Amino acid sequence: MTQSSGAPTADPDQDPVYTQAVTELLGAIAYGELTAFERLTEDAKLAPTLEDKVAFMSMAAAEFGHLTTLLERLRELGADPYATMRIFKKGFDEFHAHTRPADWYEGLIKAYVGDGLAADFYREIAAYLDPVTRDAVIESLVDVGYAELVVDRVRAGIRADPRMGGRLALWGRRLMGEALTQAQRVAGERDALSALLAGGVDRPGLDLAALGRMFARLTENHARRMSDLGLDS
Amino acid sequence: MTQSSGAPTADPDQDPVYTQAVTELLGAIAYGELTAFERLTEDAKLAPTLEDKVAFMSMAAAEFGHLTTLLERLRELGADPYATMRIFKKGFDEFHAHTRPADWYEGLIKAYVGDGLAADFYREIAAYLDPVTRDAVIESLVDVGYAELVVDRVRAGIRADPRMGGRLALWGRRLMGEALTQAQRVAGERDALSALLAGGVDRPGLDLAALGRMFARLTENHARRMSDLGLDS
């Protein structure tokens, strides 16, 4: 791996702090994909039809494909993929424990809104990564195809039972709140990850104003997704 | 599709009974793969380590790949894959309801012994199919790779707690009994499927002696798998 001028490198000999940060980031995304797989298979079990069940299994299988790419990249970086994922187990497991869907619709919304938010966040961070890692991250975030299915099913559900809209709108807000809580906790605990966002002498980073703009973009995208579902954000 | 002399064809215009039988067979295998996917994701949840969890997810994803191949072939035959799968829902769901693993080890054995038995059975039947369908069936039965993992984990478990061996041997017998019960019930209900095995004027089939030999082969393979696990059959 050669160091291109100005751009960060993923070579551990060159910048151990950067490599540590990248390793942790990939570990977080990987563990997130793993839990997404588990959640999609749970959703599949609740599916009212065999067709929707197979659709959700298909998404889970696609998430697993993303996970393997990330584990591969972690191995290339010389990291133990499983040890790295374990760092983030507590945060994700708590998020999922606090946001257990009560029914098929809450599961659909969690898949759409939760994964959308996570993907937006990782894509923002990817801008600060070396090209190889950036590609691995971007590739792992390719939409596994549920957006259209979720929007269709949720809208049909609300048409059939309009009272459901209020409950599901509250559910979307709770998902956003829990995700931010866990993300802040993780950022506070992982110095290397925070340093990645803050930048360094030879690496661009986010100042407070840029962080604010990033947060605004995440919130806007969340609101757009809720609106696609026919829900207030 | 042209009809080769002597060999059965999957063209519905040529032999509607044969096509019906093939459609049902593929539907049964497909629904079986679907439940295998669900069961493997349940096993993944019980996995004691993140490494084993990912290994089981990987098998589930591979089973899903097989399922898609079968759904594709059903569509080519002009069948509704979901309606065809639904025919076998009750049989498989009952089998799974009667053989719910109590722990990680029972789950492992069910995956290994149950799928092994099903694969042997379908491979026997595949000999009586047209080449295109036969290939689709054989391809869908490719071992998704758990044999080695299951044998290793079960043997290690019995070494750590030898009393477990007796319980797990009983469990293996129960799986075999339930599988035969459901298979007989399905065969009794589906005339076209039974006719496929019995053969026809222009198609070779199984006489009673051949059926007996097939059953003996299935039992032998089951005993070999139990012995690989270090269990009496």
Side-chain angles (χ1 to χ4, degrees):
Chain A
M1 210 173 295
T2 56
Q3 182 163 21
S4 58
S5 61
T9 168
D11 183 340
D13 295 334
Q14 304 281 348
D15 185 348
V17 174
Y18 173 75
T19 304
Q20 176 65 22
V22 162
T23 303
E24 290 186 3
L25 177 67
L26 295 181
I29 302 178
Y31 192 74
E33 300 268 8
L34 186 150
T35 63
F37 176 96
E38 290 191 308
R39 199 205 47 231
L40 286 165
T41 59
E42 284 297 313
D43 289 342
K45 257 190 272 175
L46 295 172
T49 67
L50 218 45
E51 285 82 347
D52 281 357
K53 190 188 278 273
V54 170
F56 269 81
M57 288 178 171
S58 152
M59 295 169 205
E63 291 279 9
F64 186 78
H66 294 168
L67 174 59
T68 6
T69 309
L70 292 170
L71 299 185
E72 197 50 51
R73 181 73 189 125
L74 278 165
R75 277 188 207 99
E76 282 170 17
L77 288 169
D80 173 346
Y82 295 98
T84 315
M85 281 200 287
R86 263 189 286 272
I87 297 173
F88 301 97
K89 191 172 182 315
K90 188 164 168 272
F92 279 98
D93 288 359
E94 274 182 13
F95 171 73
H96 289 298
H98 292 167
T99 57
R100 229 181 272 284
D103 64 9
W104 164 243
Y105 292 104
E106 291 193 3
L108 288 177
I109 293 173
K110 184 170 164 182
Y112 182 55
V113 159
D115 290 3
L117 187 61
D120 283 348
F121 179 62
Y122 297 137
R123 247 183 237 112
E124 292 273 354
I125 296 184
Y128 300 92
L129 303 176
D130 64 283
V132 178
T133 313
R134 188 192 307 142
D135 289 350
V137 168
I138 299 289
E139 197 183 318
S140 77
L141 300 175
V142 169
D143 179 13
V144 295
Y146 42 56
E148 207 182 330
L149 182 77
V150 168
V151 168
D152 177 77
R153 299 303 187 273
V154 171
R155 284 186 166 266
I158 297 174
R159 265 198 308 279
D161 178 7
R163 291 165 311 167
M164 208 163 62
R167 169 170 66 91
L168 294 180
L170 278 176
W171 173 245
R173 278 204 280 282
R174 201 169 120 210
L175 289 170
M176 182 69 167
E178 285 288 345
L180 290 177
T181 305
Q182 293 302 331
Q184 278 173 353
R185 207 182 57 74
V186 169
E189 282 174 11
R190 310 306 307 177
D191 292 342
L193 262 184
S194 309
L196 179 71
L197 280 181
V201 181
D202 56 347
R203 218 176 45 232
L206 287 166
D207 59 17
L208 221 55
L211 260 175
R213 286 193 296 274
M214 175 175 113
F215 184 73
R217 283 192 297 273
L218 292 177
T219 316
E220 271 164 33
N221 283 343
H222 172 71
R224 184 187 46 71
R225 275 187 290 266
M226 291 297 282
S227 149
D228 287 346
L229 293 167
L231 297 171
D232 296 331
S233 56
Chain B
M1 210 172 293
T2 56
Q3 182 163 20
S4 57
S5 61
T9 167
D11 183 340
D13 294 335
Q14 304 282 350
D15 184 348
V17 174
Y18 173 75
T19 303
Q20 177 65 23
V22 161
T23 301
E24 290 185 3
L25 177 68
L26 295 180
I29 303 179
Y31 192 75
E33 300 267 8
L34 187 149
T35 63
F37 176 97
E38 291 191 307
R39 199 205 47 230
L40 286 166
T41 58
E42 284 297 314
D43 289 342
K45 257 191 274 174
L46 293 172
T49 67
L50 216 47
E51 285 83 347
D52 281 358
K53 189 187 278 272
V54 170
F56 269 81
M57 288 178 171
S58 153
M59 296 169 203
E63 291 279 9
F64 185 78
H66 295 168
L67 174 60
T68 12
T69 310
L70 292 169
L71 300 185
E72 197 50 49
R73 181 75 189 125
L74 279 165
R75 277 189 207 99
E76 281 169 16
L77 287 168
D80 173 346
Y82 295 99
T84 315
M85 281 200 288
R86 263 188 286 271
I87 297 173
F88 302 96
K89 192 174 182 316
K90 188 164 166 274
F92 279 99
D93 289 359
E94 273 181 13
F95 171 73
H96 289 298
H98 292 169
T99 56
R100 228 180 272 286
D103 63 9
W104 164 244
Y105 292 104
E106 291 193 3
L108 288 177
I109 293 173
K110 183 170 166 184
Y112 181 55
V113 160
D115 290 3
L117 187 60
D120 283 348
F121 180 61
Y122 297 137
R123 246 182 239 114
E124 293 273 355
I125 296 183
Y128 301 92
L129 303 176
D130 64 282
V132 177
T133 313
R134 189 190 308 142
D135 289 350
V137 168
I138 299 288
E139 197 183 319
S140 78
L141 300 175
V142 169
D143 178 14
V144 294
Y146 43 54
E148 207 183 330
L149 182 76
V150 169
V151 168
D152 176 77
R153 297 303 189 272
V154 171
R155 284 187 166 265
I158 297 173
R159 265 198 309 277
D161 178 6
R163 291 165 310 168
M164 208 162 63
R167 168 169 67 89
L168 295 179
L170 279 175
W171 173 244
R173 279 204 279 282
R174 202 169 121 210
L175 290 170
M176 182 70 167
E178 284 289 344
L180 290 178
T181 305
Q182 293 302 330
Q184 277 172 354
R185 207 182 58 74
V186 170
E189 283 174 10
R190 311 305 309 177
D191 292 342
L193 262 185
S194 309
L196 179 71
L197 280 181
V201 181
D202 58 346
R203 219 178 41 233
L206 287 166
D207 59 16
L208 221 55
L211 260 176
R213 285 192 298 275
M214 176 176 114
F215 184 73
R217 283 191 297 272
L218 293 177
T219 316
E220 272 164 33
N221 282 342
H222 172 71
R224 185 185 47 69
R225 274 187 290 267
M226 291 297 282
S227 146
D228 287 346
L229 293 168
L231 297 171
D232 296 332
S233 59

